[in-house]
């Protein structure tokens, strides 16, 4: 088995229906797919890789060598580390832009441009989901922007590196989890693998493909689609060689947004609603998620149902 690879440019041609069907199948069967010809210029993607690598070497590498996880691994003996991840990560948002790197030339400008293009791509993906699910155009975007208008969605970017690990069998790069939010767009390393998605009880490698964007669906897509599109379990393995780059961007609802299954996807049978998920405030869900991120997801929905 292999993660679906889809040519996004074919949405605008004679193969539109086929491409829509490929994306629908990927959302329903995998919760993960890779987009080639995704509309983001290769020149920009190459700049992103360059400034991200320089940023780590100049500003993060020495700190990681003295980090908690490195010290724990050095002191662990034969024990496997259970509650830590072998990763270096910073989060970029519109609110903390003034805290972004000033030491790495071109970092701020490049990452701003990249995030702008990714957000456009995320909204295009949601429009495709609308069409495939039979929802009005713009439904997903409106759901993830809440009551206050078009620009309320939270769009965050996690810039991660997974440095070489001397004992990869003793610590994971990132423990298995589903993502809490909406649409996730991942720009991953061209060469160093490690990302895996759980499919039918088997961990499948998400193969590095140059300048693709990996799309995965989060828990809120699962809710709005009333379970048609499931959020997928995934993890990152640590490796003894290579410093894996991973840039994951999240198109999430604002904390005050109310999330519920789309009414069009809820069937009425004998006056009972076939609604698989509760209606809740996203901030309440996040309060549960931060405590249970690496645990089974179904109890999270049950817990927020009781809120």
């Amino acid at each position: 088995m292999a993660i679906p690879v889809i040519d996004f440019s074919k949405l605008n041609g004679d193969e539109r229906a086929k491409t829509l069907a490929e994306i629908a199948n990927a959302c329903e069967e995998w919760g993960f797919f890779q987009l080639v010809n995704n509309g983001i210029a290769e020149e920009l993607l190459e700049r992103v890789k360059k400034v991200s690598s320089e940023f780590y070497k100049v500003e993060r590498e020495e700190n990681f060598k003295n980090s908690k996880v490195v010290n724990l691994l050095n002191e662990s003996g034969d024990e496997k580390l259970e509650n830590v991840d072998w990763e270096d990560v910073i989060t970029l948002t519109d609110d903390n832009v003034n805290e972004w790197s000033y030491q790495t030339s071109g970092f701020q400008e490049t990452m701003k441009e990249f995030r702008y293009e990714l957000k456009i791509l995320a909204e295009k993906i949601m429009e495709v989901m609308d069409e495939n699910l039979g929802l009005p155009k713009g439904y997903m975007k409106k759901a993830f922007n809440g009551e206050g208008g078009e620009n309320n969605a939270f769009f965050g970017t996690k810039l991660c590196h997974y440095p070489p690990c001397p004992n990869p069998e003793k610590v994971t790069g990132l423990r298995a989890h589903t993502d809490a939010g909406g649409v996730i767009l991942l720009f991953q390393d061209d060469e160093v693998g490690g990302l895996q998605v759980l499919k039918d009880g088997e961990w499948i490698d998400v193969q590095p493909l140059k300048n693709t964007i990996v799309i995965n669906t989060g828990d809120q897509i699962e809710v709005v689609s009333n379970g048609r599109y499931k959020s997928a379990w995934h993890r990152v393995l640590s490796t003894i060689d290579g410093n894996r780059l991973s840039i994951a961007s999240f198109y999430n609802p604002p904390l005050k947004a109310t999330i519920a299954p789309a009414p069009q996807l809820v069937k009425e049978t004998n006056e009972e609603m076939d609604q698989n998920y509760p209606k809740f405030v996203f901030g309440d869900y996040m309060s549960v998620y931060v405590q249970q991120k690496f645990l089974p997801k179904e109890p999270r929905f049950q817990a927020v149902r009781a809120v």
Side-chain angles (χ1 to χ4, degrees):
M1 289 193 293
I3 305 298
V5 179
I6 298 170
D7 186 339
F8 201 55
S9 67
K10 291 185 177 180
L11 274 179
N12 300 318
D14 295 338
E15 297 184 53
R16 177 177 175 79
K18 178 185 174 185
T19 306
L20 284 169
E22 289 176 348
I23 294 173
N25 181 72
C27 290
E28 291 176 5
E29 299 296 327
W30 286 88
F32 259 80
F33 54 97
Q34 302 209 51
L35 283 186
V36 299
N37 297 322
N38 46 61
I40 300 179
E42 292 212 1
E43 179 274 332
L44 174 57
L45 295 174
E46 292 296 328
R47 271 194 287 132
V48 169
K49 286 183 281 190
K50 180 176 182 292
V51 298
S52 298
S53 296
E54 290 177 0
F55 169 74
Y56 178 77
K57 289 176 184 177
V58 172
E59 303 185 45
R60 305 292 297 182
E61 189 169 28
E62 285 304 313
N63 287 338
F64 183 79
K65 290 177 181 178
N66 297 309
S67 65
K68 177 182 176 181
V69 66
V70 171
N71 292 332
L72 285 172
L73 186 63
N74 290 338
E75 298 166 1
S76 64
D78 295 329
E79 293 182 13
K80 185 174 181 180
L81 301 182
E82 298 290 347
N83 297 311
V84 291
D85 302 302
W86 188 266
E87 71 170 349
D88 177 80
V89 57
I90 66 163
T91 301
L92 310 177
T93 72
D94 291 340
D95 292 333
N96 71 0
V97 65
N98 292 327
E99 301 169 18
W100 296 8
S101 166
Y102 286 98
Q103 297 180 47
T104 304
S105 177
F107 182 87
Q108 282 200 7
E109 297 80 4
T110 299
M111 296 309 290
K112 282 181 184 177
E113 184 179 351
F114 184 46
R115 279 169 42 79
Y116 175 81
E117 295 293 339
L118 284 172
K119 190 172 182 180
I120 291 173
L121 179 58
E123 292 177 348
K124 289 179 180 177
I125 293 290
M126 288 190 290
E127 285 191 1
V128 170
M129 290 180 179
D130 290 336
E131 187 169 350
N132 278 333
L133 290 168
L135 297 174
K137 183 177 180 180
Y139 186 95
M140 287 276 189
K141 180 179 178 180
K142 185 176 180 181
F144 290 156
N145 278 272
E147 297 295 327
E150 287 198 359
N151 297 309
N152 275 355
F154 173 81
F155 193 72
T157 299
K158 286 178 63 178
L159 172 56
C160 305
H161 284 87
Y162 298 92
C165 180
N167 302 105
E169 73 286 353
K170 291 170 63 175
V171 60
T172 52
L174 180 59
R175 288 162 283 167
H177 64 287
T178 65
D179 291 322
V183 175
I184 297 87
L185 308 95
L186 172 69
F187 184 43
Q188 67 166 348
D189 203 283
D190 286 347
E191 299 177 0
V192 183
L195 176 62
Q196 296 182 323
V197 59
L198 189 63
K199 168 70 171 166
D200 298 332
E202 182 180 353
W203 286 104
I204 308 296
D205 292 330
V206 181
Q207 296 289 357
L209 292 175
K210 186 173 183 180
N211 292 342
T212 61
I213 300 294
V214 181
I215 305 296
N216 73 280
T217 50
D219 295 346
Q220 306 315 303
I221 294 288
E222 180 169 334
V223 174
V224 174
S225 71
N226 202 30
R228 284 269 300 274
Y229 297 167
K230 295 289 197 299
S231 59
W233 286 89
H234 52 287
R235 68 183 183 185
V236 178
L237 301 181
S238 54
T239 58
I240 200 165
D241 297 314
N243 184 12
R244 181 176 183 273
L245 171 66
S246 171
I247 307 174
S249 296
F250 304 82
Y251 194 110
N252 290 356
L255 293 177
K256 293 181 180 179
T258 299
I259 302 297
Q264 296 90 335
L265 304 179
V266 178
K267 299 176 184 176
E268 293 188 44
T269 308
N270 297 326
E271 298 183 0
E272 291 185 5
M273 302 295 284
D274 178 25
Q275 183 166 313
N276 298 323
Y277 300 87
K279 180 179 181 178
F280 54 83
V281 175
F282 181 59
D284 293 339
Y285 185 82
M286 285 304 299
S287 295
V288 176
Y289 180 85
V290 295
Q291 301 295 328
Q292 302 182 17
K293 176 177 179 178
F294 302 109
L295 300 175
K297 65 180 174 181
E298 290 75 16
R300 301 199 291 257
F301 296 125
Q302 293 301 319
V304 83
R305 184 189 300 272
V307 169

